[in-house]
Amino acid sequence: MYLLPAIDILGGKAVRLMKGDYDRVTVYNDDPVAQARVFAEQGASWLHVVDLDGARSGLPENIAAIEAIVSATGLSVEVGGGVRSLATVRRLVDAGVSRIVLGTALVADEAFARDAAFEFGDLLAAGIDARGGEVAVAGWRQGTGRDACELARAMAELGYRHLVYTDIARDGMQTGIDPAAYKAMAEAFGHPVIASGGVAGVSDIEALAPIARHIEGVIAGRAIYEGSLSVEEGVRACAAATEAGCPC
């Protein structure tokens, strides 16, 4: 397990949304690149970046900022939001990102999801965002009627080996996580998942230790920005949870 501090970019600024609501925005830094440098200095090795403008429009709108983050920090950067064409995937690869998250396209364009997996393999992650077990797309504004676990199984069959699962009802709320939900998703997917949504403090990461073999990483945003979890604490807790959950 490893920690992925989150930077969501909207209007050129680092923000967080509550439950994916674009009308409930908190700005934490006017400069996403400066924020990324802070996370690197605090010991992060990975960073989770979401182009919220792109997630809403379906077009990449913050690639320049993402390029600057990669160049300025040397972090492994995972990026999602508005990735709905092979051309966009290639642009992000050229920008130097380490992993690209496909979300809406997994539901809206299965041919693209399949072609992307064939061409880019391990560089990709399936991004499944769900509310009450139902997959949501288009910046979380639209329900799909599709079951999250069923979609995870389908993506595994296409060759995806990484999955970011976001519990929308908990995202940005600091209400704590639901380990059982991530365990169920990992079992459906057949591989460890990246947990996102609801981390309020170090105890939430510690709660994942019993299912550590099902968890690849943990995304944390508001808890870090508002001081209930430090990057240093999160990094240590992920390492400890991995060790505690190791079957060896």
Side-chain angles (χ1 to χ4, degrees):
M1 281 170 55
Y2 49 85
L3 183 74
L4 298 95
I7 294 180
D8 294 355
I9 305 176
L10 182 67
K13 300 178 180 181
V15 310
R16 293 297 286 170
L17 308 182
M18 284 191 176
K19 297 184 180 181
D21 187 343
Y22 281 77
D23 293 323
R24 303 172 71 186
V25 180
T26 302
V27 177
Y28 286 105
N29 198 318
D30 289 339
D31 184 352
V33 180
Q35 185 61 60
R37 288 196 186 99
V38 170
F39 288 152
E41 291 165 0
Q42 292 173 339
S45 57
W46 276 86
L47 187 67
H48 179 77
V49 177
V50 178
D51 180 351
L52 289 175
D53 298 292
R56 182 162 52 179
S57 70
L59 299 170
E61 298 193 28
N62 287 290
I63 286 183
I66 292 164
E67 288 175 334
I69 287 170
V70 172
S71 176
T73 67
L75 293 172
S76 296
V77 178
E78 174 181 274
V79 176
V83 184
R84 301 179 196 173
S85 71
L86 290 174
T88 296
V89 175
R90 293 185 186 108
R91 286 180 66 188
L92 289 168
V93 170
D94 290 344
V97 306
S98 297
R99 186 179 300 141
I100 300 158
V101 183
L102 275 57
T104 296
L106 302 180
V107 175
D109 191 347
E110 186 173 332
F112 162 61
R114 181 184 298 105
D115 291 346
F118 179 79
E119 183 171 346
F120 296 99
D122 205 49
L123 280 172
L124 300 183
I128 297 181
D129 308 328
R131 184 183 287 108
E134 179 189 2
V135 176
V137 297
W140 300 350
R141 292 171 298 145
Q142 301 173 15
T144 63
R146 192 162 184 182
D147 178 75
C149 286
E150 183 277 325
L151 181 59
R153 285 189 286 269
M155 292 305 104
E157 290 174 1
L158 289 183
Y160 287 81
R161 294 296 177 263
H162 302 283
L163 188 153
V164 178
Y165 178 58
T166 302
D167 186 345
I168 297 172
R170 295 172 183 263
D171 191 74
M173 299 302 292
Q174 291 184 261
T175 53
I177 63 170
D178 179 6
Y182 298 111
K183 182 175 183 289
M185 182 60 67
E187 289 176 341
F189 185 53
H191 305 279
V193 302
I194 296 172
S196 174
V199 171
V202 69
S203 62
D204 289 305
I205 298 175
E206 293 169 346
L208 293 172
I211 61 164
R213 67 188 182 90
H214 295 291
I215 307 297
E216 179 177 355
V218 182
I219 295 171
R222 189 177 295 271
I224 293 174
Y225 290 112
E226 298 192 354
S228 62
L229 174 71
S230 71
V231 170
E232 295 91 338
E233 286 176 327
V235 169
R236 287 196 301 268
C238 282
T242 300
E243 183 175 353
C246 178
C248 57

